[in-house]
Amino acid sequence: MKQVLKCGQLFLAQEKRFAADQNVYVEDGRITEVSTGPVHEGWKVVDLGGKYVLPGLIDGHIHSNLSGGPNDMLRFGQMSVPEFTVVSLVNVQADLMAGFTTVRDEGAIAFTDVAVKNAINRGQTWGPRMFVSGPALSPTGGHADTHFPLYMEQTEGMGLLCDSPDECRAAGRYAMKYGADQLKIMSTGGVMTKGDDVGAPAFTLEELQAIVDLANSRGRITSAHAHAGDGIKLAVRAGVTVIEHATMADEEAREMMRQAGTWVVPTLSPGVSILRYGPEAGLPQWLLEKDQEVVQTHASNVKKFFEMGIPMAFGTDCGTSFNYHGKQAYEFQLLHQAGIPAAETLAMATINAAKMMRMDDKVGSVEAGKLADIVAVDADPIADLSVMMNVSFVMKDGKIYKQ
């Protein structure tokens, strides 16, 4: 079908500004032309004249297995792999309807994210474009290890356990064999796992380098969950592509990231949401104390990353407690409150995220030759980012999913 989207205002992601009265021509799932003036004859008009149109949004950090409930992490010992697959599909469909035409899954049990991605790509079901990790690489006792009692079998959870450079290489090969687009690494402990330290390094430099070298040899990126201290610094030194969270990065870590050109996906949403709703929901005290620790410096670090020119991409960690799929656009407001200009937050969720995933030849901006992933809102998001919570038009690959 030959369609032309008549846009009242179109976000030019490369320039971080809106342009008025743009016509976007779409054929066979791709953008063929962006121009002004009268519409070409023979094209079906999709009237977005009163709307603010943007490239399809990209959430660079989700967990499709998790649905935002306070105790979702406990389900790893209770639900079957087929059940997790269905949960993941429902969650990413909610993401698409919220305008996130591309999502990056940062760790899932038993390659359920790969299964959902493949089903969408085969046309067996519908959902966003997915960039997936499979299970994350974790040391024994790390953030992606299971934490069942000793009398229970320690079956595979969200992690592949590896405790030496050779084991790390083997785990990385296994992840890529079964469909991982990137290698996700748990470089420090986390807020939601009992008994680990959010600042302590989980892997040695040699282990991290083995993972990074393997990914580089296959043309893949690496993503390191890292909150603070040597966990960040070792990951940067090893050449990891992206640091996730970086909540308590110190001055030395920030400078190392700047010099190395390391990407950051800040994910402000989970810390704020747990702090706000966790006590009333009865989350354990140890988790609340960890969350308080990371929230204290997170927003100020995000502003410092921006001021230093450290590249940042949008990600929400949605699926974590009180951080629901389809509602994650609240992250735009949190980024702005931290000191990021509104137009920059929109770029983070479009062209920046596409560049971070090395997909900017396909998505991230509305340009001729790219896939027709396009969304719209009813008011100017630069004036009020809360409008991003109510996306009223969603197109992916030239197909309209919401209008």
Side-chain angles (χ1 to χ4, degrees):
M1 180 189 298
K2 298 168 68 174
Q3 305 173 85
V4 55
L5 280 58
K6 288 184 61 64
C7 306
Q9 296 282 341
L10 176 66
F11 186 66
L12 307 181
Q14 306 278 15
E15 302 174 31
K16 302 170 189 173
R17 67 178 180 87
F18 280 96
D21 301 322
Q22 302 289 307
N23 298 324
V24 180
Y25 293 86
V26 174
E27 186 174 10
D28 296 329
R30 288 190 177 270
I31 300 165
T32 61
E33 179 185 340
V34 180
S35 60
T36 59
V39 171
H40 304 335
E41 290 186 9
W43 292 74
K44 179 182 177 181
V45 175
V46 178
D47 188 3
L48 301 177
K51 297 185 184 293
Y52 286 75
V53 182
L54 303 99
L57 304 176
I58 301 171
D59 191 334
H61 190 132
I62 72 158
H63 291 286
S64 64
N65 285 170
L66 303 175
S67 302
N71 297 308
D72 276 13
M73 294 286 284
L74 300 179
R75 293 181 178 178
F76 289 139
Q78 300 171 351
M79 286 174 52
S80 68
V81 170
E83 287 177 304
F84 272 116
T85 306
V86 174
V87 166
S88 293
L89 175 59
V90 171
N91 284 336
V92 299
Q93 287 177 341
D95 296 333
L96 176 61
M97 297 306 287
F100 292 91
T101 56
T102 300
V103 296
R104 175 174 172 249
D105 198 308
E106 281 287 289
I109 188 172
F111 298 96
T112 47
D113 55 347
V114 176
V116 172
K117 170 192 170 179
N118 289 344
I120 293 170
N121 288 350
R122 285 193 293 260
Q124 294 170 317
T125 186
W126 60 275
R129 185 167 293 100
M130 294 183 69
F131 186 94
V132 298
S133 309
L137 276 59
S138 172
T140 299
H143 187 45
D145 193 0
T146 57
H147 287 74
F148 301 149
L150 283 172
Y151 59 82
M152 292 179 65
E153 183 180 356
Q154 300 293 306
T155 54
E156 183 182 63
M158 196 182 275
L160 298 172
L161 302 188
C162 43
D163 294 303
S164 70
D166 283 345
E167 288 185 5
C168 288
R169 276 187 284 267
R173 288 169 180 151
Y174 183 82
M176 291 188 288
K177 173 185 176 182
Y178 288 105
D181 296 312
Q182 65 170 16
L183 294 182
K184 171 68 183 294
I185 308 162
M186 296 304 192
S187 292
T188 69
V191 170
M192 300 183 72
T193 43
K194 187 176 183 179
D196 58 19
D197 186 331
V198 293
F203 285 109
T204 66
L205 178 61
E206 292 74 21
E207 289 167 336
L208 291 168
Q209 286 175 329
I211 298 167
V212 171
D213 289 347
L214 173 64
N216 289 344
S217 73
R218 309 286 179 88
R220 313 290 175 89
I221 69 171
T222 45
S223 165
H225 161 103
H227 281 287
D230 288 340
I232 295 177
K233 296 169 190 174
L234 289 172
V236 175
R237 194 170 293 129
V240 163
T241 314
V242 193
I243 300 291
E244 313 293 327
H245 317 304
T247 55
M248 298 184 290
D250 60 22
E251 183 177 355
E252 181 184 10
R254 292 191 298 270
E255 180 57 25
M256 289 176 64
M257 292 157 68
R258 186 193 68 78
Q259 291 187 18
T262 309
W263 283 88
V264 181
V265 177
T267 69
L268 286 162
S269 295
V272 171
S273 298
I274 290 171
L275 196 64
R276 181 177 300 167
Y277 303 112
E280 184 177 349
L283 292 186
Q285 188 61 33
W286 60 262
L287 191 155
L288 297 174
E289 290 174 358
K290 279 188 174 185
D291 189 62
Q292 179 66 51
E293 185 180 9
V294 302
V295 167
Q296 286 178 352
T297 56
H298 199 178
S300 61
N301 257 327
V302 169
K303 185 176 182 181
K304 290 171 184 174
F305 296 147
F306 175 71
E307 292 172 344
M308 293 176 68
I310 294 170
M312 288 196 295
F314 185 96
T316 66
D317 213 356
C318 80
T320 52
S321 297
F322 319 107
N323 190 6
Y324 303 102
H325 291 270
K327 306 288 187 182
Q328 67 261 50
Y330 181 52
E331 181 80 15
F332 286 106
Q333 296 172 68
L334 294 177
L335 289 166
H336 191 45
Q337 291 168 17
I340 311 303
E344 292 285 349
T345 71
L346 300 177
M348 285 174 62
T350 52
I351 191 63
N352 287 19
K355 288 179 178 178
M356 181 264 290
M357 292 189 291
R358 300 176 184 171
M359 295 176 65
D360 53 308
D361 60 329
K362 300 179 180 68
V363 296
S365 59
V366 179
E367 296 181 86
K370 293 194 176 184
L371 297 172
D373 287 10
I374 299 169
V375 303
V377 292
D378 295 341
D380 184 359
I382 293 179
D384 180 6
L385 281 167
S386 69
V387 304
M388 298 303 296
M389 295 287 289
N390 295 291
V391 169
S392 57
F393 176 87
V394 178
M395 170 183 279
K396 177 198 166 216
D397 288 330
K399 180 178 178 179
I400 297 173
Y401 286 86
K402 183 177 184 181
Q403 185 174 17

